[in-house]
Amino acid sequence: MKIKKWIAAGLATIMMTGMLTGCGKNIDVTKEDGTVQSDTATQAEDGEITTLTWWVPLEGSASKFIQSYNENTAYQEAMKRLGIQIEFIHPAVGQEKEEFNLLFLGDKLPDIISYAQFYTGGEFQGMRDGVFLDITDQLPEYAPDYYKTLTEDEEFYREATDENGRVTAFYGYKPVGDPPFRRWILNENLLAELECEIPETVNDLEAMFDKMLAKGITPYMPEPGDRPGYEQQLMGMWDILRDFYVDNGKIKFGQMEPGFKSYLELMNKWYEKGYISKDFTSIEATEVNTLFDTGKIGTFLGPIVANYNRCEALGIPVTAAPYTRLEPGQKLHWNDCDIWPKMNYNASVAVISKDCSNVQAALTFLNYGYTQEGAELYNWGVEGLNWDWQGDKRVYNDTMLENEFGTEEASYIYKVHFGPLLTWPDIECHANLLKSEGALNSRLQWADDPDVDSALQLPPFQLNDEEQQRLGEIENEVFTYCDEMVLKFITGAEPLENFDQYVETIKSLGIEEAIALEQKGYDTYMSKKVIGE
């Protein structure tokens, strides 16, 4: 996978303007008699507007304020411009996977379905099963902007096609990556009190941790979650990722590599010294915020801007630290924010079902997010309602910045934050960043690090159904075993002298077969040629 660097916002805008093709409001559509007309709507002669159903999860925080994306003003404006009505169908928040699976037990599928990558075997298996349409041949005529995007970006083409170069889904596409959003969060007042500089190396961190312990503060709370014990910003110092990754074309499994033992040795040492909270396996994310805000923990790894804004409201000045190195100047190859252009968020993978009542209309509507006009609408919202011009610059108005929802929620209520569309860099159009110069600066503080890339990151390819099923069987056993052992190694319940035995057990569970399957998928992915090459 080619390695990309984050590009400054101004260059990103220039690049994007060059890539986009204007759609305007003139869409070629096929009428019922088979003739093609250029019009603003997919509209029958009797004036009835085409209506499509779209199954897509409703973002959790937005669900507190709206019941449906039919209330989303960007989607409302798109429907008006295109003359295509969408009836959104939303699963209950927290039950998305369960309700997604139930869709396929009914008599008729919605016209458009998001979350398609959660189909058993992935969206391409859904296409092979005849559940999701193969849209490859219809893209040039009915989704020309999406087709142009696919065929002009080699990496996106590989990500968005199966092993035969077929397309079934519209994916969120981001041609320019965002700067990293997750870093060490530090209280500036505490740093000054401890007479500490912002830490850059493991030695810097440990010196700071010692001073925190001396003040009765637990230094570090690892990130909570369903698989605690893995911290990529620390694992990355040994050039490994959790689970599968690629190293110079060779697939590896992180939890069995020698570097992973080094990572566990560091974490075990920190645990024994009291640097790590003893509660890290059971705590909730909101509790971590409270512990930091009240000075009970010294630092944690989290979203920069969300923590900046929260702490600013509490009167706590915070700063972020750069990625940790073993030695100054170390090159890092794990950057998890340098993964694009395909956006893998749940709402960003949309397919047209076999039961779609008007495939051409569905293609037309989904294509709109890749036109210049549609991308502007979805990324910024409606002019006058959400933003205004200040000279030649767009600026958000009070509807986005001063509302009852909050700027994060407003992104889902007034814009299309995640979805099948051409997505602009968040530093250009995310209200949470743009409402505060301090928040934006905190995000950009370490963004132009020349010694960080994502060379280890495995691209998002899919295996066939049989291979995926076998891989899943192996992963279930291997991940369960690894996750249990990682916590035991960190806490000392299992001595690290047993690491080699642990690796042999992973092998006995079939990891080498899983690596071979991943290698086959990766090699197939890399061998794809873009249409026309």
Side-chain angles (χ1 to χ4, degrees):
M1 184 167 67
K2 62 187 176 184
I3 301 166
K4 301 183 179 182
K5 296 291 186 182
W6 171 75
I7 303 173
L11 181 58
T13 303
I14 295 172
M15 174 184 173
M16 195 168 305
T17 302
M19 291 181 62
L20 289 167
T21 59
C23 167
K25 297 182 180 179
N26 295 320
I27 310 291
D28 285 342
V29 296
T30 302
K31 297 191 296 183
E32 292 181 359
D33 62 2
T35 61
V36 177
Q37 68 176 19
S38 180
D39 201 351
T40 63
T42 315
Q43 194 166 349
E45 292 184 1
D46 59 4
E48 291 185 5
I49 293 177
T50 297
T51 298
L52 301 171
T53 54
W54 186 345
W55 190 97
V56 59
L58 180 63
E59 198 282 328
S61 59
S63 68
K64 301 173 185 175
F65 303 100
I66 60 174
Q67 300 299 310
S68 167
Y69 282 141
N70 283 103
E71 301 174 58
N72 176 290
T73 52
Y75 276 131
Q76 289 175 353
E77 181 66 17
M79 294 181 217
K80 177 182 175 182
R81 293 176 184 179
L82 297 174
I84 300 171
Q85 183 67 31
I86 302 294
E87 291 183 359
F88 287 101
I89 304 168
H90 302 299
V93 175
Q95 298 179 32
E96 291 85 357
K97 285 188 179 181
E98 294 85 348
E99 295 194 26
F100 175 84
N101 291 329
L102 290 175
L103 287 175
F104 306 97
L105 302 178
D107 295 331
K108 188 175 186 298
L109 292 170
D111 297 302
I112 302 171
I113 301 173
S114 291
Y115 223 73
Q117 71 273 35
F118 288 97
Y119 184 85
T120 302
E123 63 270 28
F124 293 120
Q125 187 59 44
M127 179 181 69
R128 288 189 287 268
D129 290 344
V131 176
F132 306 145
L133 295 186
D134 179 341
I135 57 175
T136 313
D137 298 333
Q138 299 183 69
L139 291 178
E141 183 173 2
Y142 298 110
D145 300 276
Y146 184 58
Y147 179 78
K148 185 174 188 291
T149 300
L150 272 176
T151 53
E152 290 187 350
D153 188 316
E154 180 180 4
E155 193 167 337
F156 187 50
Y157 176 83
R158 285 176 175 163
E159 294 177 350
T161 56
D162 73 355
E163 66 274 16
N164 299 313
R166 308 304 292 179
V167 181
T168 190
F170 286 77
Y171 300 93
Y173 171 69
K174 181 170 282 195
V176 180
D178 299 323
F181 74 96
R182 184 176 175 273
R183 295 190 183 275
W184 293 99
I185 306 300
L186 297 158
N187 184 325
E188 289 186 329
N189 290 339
L190 180 60
L191 284 180
E193 184 179 342
L194 299 176
E195 298 181 343
C196 289
E197 300 294 328
I198 295 175
E200 298 186 17
T201 65
V202 169
N203 288 338
D204 295 339
L205 278 175
E206 291 181 345
M208 182 182 71
F209 288 169
D210 284 332
K211 291 183 177 181
M212 289 177 175
L213 275 181
K215 284 189 62 66
I217 299 171
T218 299
Y220 165 45
M221 176 66 78
E223 183 179 27
D226 58 353
R227 298 180 71 186
Y230 301 95
E231 179 41 66
Q232 188 56 65
Q233 293 206 24
L234 299 174
M235 292 170 60
M237 297 187 295
W238 286 279
D239 277 350
I240 53 174
L241 301 184
R242 186 184 75 176
D243 304 335
F244 300 101
Y245 64 98
V246 60
D247 184 2
N248 292 314
K250 183 178 180 181
I251 303 301
K252 295 183 177 180
F253 184 72
Q255 289 93 308
M256 63 187 291
E257 289 296 312
F260 191 65
K261 182 178 180 181
S262 299
Y263 162 75
L264 292 173
E265 288 171 343
L266 177 71
M267 295 294 281
N268 174 252
K269 181 180 78 169
W270 284 9
Y271 188 86
E272 295 295 334
K273 281 178 168 281
Y275 293 164
I276 294 177
S277 170
K278 305 298 183 186
D279 298 324
F280 82 94
T281 62
S282 59
I283 198 163
E284 299 291 334
T286 53
E287 296 177 87
V288 176
N289 292 342
T290 300
L291 291 171
F292 177 80
D293 298 344
T294 55
K296 292 183 172 61
I297 61 170
T299 188
F300 64 105
L301 284 143
I304 304 165
V305 172
N307 284 291
Y308 181 94
N309 289 333
R310 189 191 76 256
C311 289
E312 183 179 46
L314 297 172
I316 303 171
V318 295
T319 190
Y323 290 157
T324 306
R325 264 85 169 177
L326 294 171
E327 301 291 342
Q330 178 187 6
K331 293 186 182 297
L332 302 173
H333 304 293
W334 61 269
N335 182 14
D336 59 358
C337 284
D338 190 23
I339 306 165
W340 75 89
K342 177 179 170 182
M343 304 293 287
N344 279 322
Y345 297 105
N346 297 337
S348 302
V349 182
V351 294
I352 299 173
S353 82
K354 66 179 180 62
D355 297 326
C356 183
S357 59
N358 190 326
V359 175
Q360 294 172 13
L363 288 165
T364 296
F365 197 91
L366 290 171
N367 178 72
Y368 189 58
Y370 306 87
T371 67
Q372 182 171 353
E373 180 182 286
E376 289 175 351
L377 172 64
Y378 288 165
N379 282 279
W380 274 90
V382 180
E383 181 180 359
L385 173 65
N386 306 122
W387 62 274
D388 302 292
W389 290 106
Q390 282 190 0
D392 59 355
K393 181 180 179 182
R394 290 185 182 86
V395 295
Y396 283 120
N397 55 34
D398 286 349
T399 306
M400 289 296 294
L401 303 180
E402 302 291 338
N403 55 61
E404 62 179 304
F405 318 120
T407 49
E408 184 68 29
E409 290 77 4
S411 294
Y412 297 94
I413 295 169
Y414 292 117
K415 306 194 306 171
V416 181
H417 195 49
F418 293 134
L421 70 142
L422 193 155
T423 304
W424 294 3
D426 61 2
I427 58 171
E428 291 187 6
C429 60
H430 192 3
N432 236 12
L433 279 167
L434 302 183
K435 75 176 182 181
S436 166
E437 184 177 357
L440 181 60
N441 290 339
S442 72
R443 178 74 177 279
L444 296 175
Q445 187 174 1
W446 308 103
D448 56 352
D449 189 333
D451 294 323
V452 176
D453 61 48
S454 62
L456 298 175
Q457 185 67 38
L458 202 61
F461 57 82
Q462 292 181 11
L463 306 175
N464 65 39
D465 189 32
E466 182 179 341
E467 293 168 337
Q468 191 65 47
Q469 182 176 351
R470 178 58 184 150
L471 179 64
E473 292 170 354
I474 298 170
E475 286 179 338
N476 286 339
E477 288 194 63
V478 170
F479 291 177
T480 298
Y481 174 71
C482 288
D483 295 353
E484 291 175 355
M485 291 299 293
V486 163
L487 296 182
K488 289 181 179 180
F489 283 135
I490 291 174
T491 61
E494 184 78 19
L496 277 159
E497 289 79 3
N498 293 339
F499 185 82
D500 290 344
Q501 179 182 332
Y502 149 84
V503 171
E504 290 304 314
T505 301
I506 296 174
K507 291 180 179 179
S508 73
L509 295 173
I511 193 62
E512 290 169 318
E513 181 185 353
I515 290 173
L517 288 170
E518 291 279 8
Q519 187 73 55
K520 177 179 179 289
Y522 176 76
D523 292 342
T524 300
Y525 171 89
M526 293 301 295
S527 69
K528 288 186 198 175
K529 299 296 183 183
V530 177
I531 295 171
E533 287 190 354

